[in-house]
Amino acid sequence: MDHSTHVRLAASELTPELLEGATIYGPDDENIGSVSHVHGVGGDTVVVIDVGGFLGIGAKPVAVSAAALDFMRDEDGEVHAVTSWTKDQLKEMPEHRD
């Protein structure tokens, strides 16, 4: 997927309603997880990413700052994010517990 034409989201758009369910792409456009839920709004937003598993079953939730991800909207209006982290790097992070 060519992300260069996608519109980046502003900090004010980093809301739970918009981000929950967004696909996270790692290096080489690998689908490495999806946003499970969100804590906060705007620049201090923390997103919980479900990594691994299948359809959310067996996935490990990890929390990262939304600022560490590049959230954008594609030509169809779908929100997703790009990161330099690999799936294995996210799996090595501490498990998030609410």
Side-chain angles (χ1 to χ4, degrees):
M1 179 181 310
D2 180 10
H3 300 284
S4 66
T5 61
H6 297 167
V7 178
R8 273 38 181 189
L9 299 183
S12 62
E13 294 179 282
L14 301 179
T15 64
E17 298 78 24
L18 198 57
L19 301 183
E20 288 177 3
T23 301
I24 308 298
Y25 293 98
D28 300 322
D29 246 4
E30 177 190 11
N31 179 336
I32 60 174
S34 63
V35 176
S36 166
H37 59 281
V38 178
H39 297 284
V41 176
D44 295 329
T45 302
V46 172
V47 296
V48 178
I49 302 171
D50 283 339
V51 183
F54 182 72
L55 298 176
I57 299 171
K60 177 182 179 182
V62 297
V64 300
S65 168
L69 302 168
D70 191 8
F71 279 98
M72 58 191 76
R73 186 178 283 112
D74 68 16
E75 51 278 338
D76 296 326
E78 294 294 319
V79 173
H80 61 282
V82 176
T83 182
S84 60
W85 287 317
T86 65
K87 185 182 287 188
D88 288 337
Q89 288 173 317
L90 286 175
K91 285 182 177 178
E92 291 175 10
M93 292 181 178
E95 184 171 349
H96 173 75
R97 298 174 193 251
D98 283 322

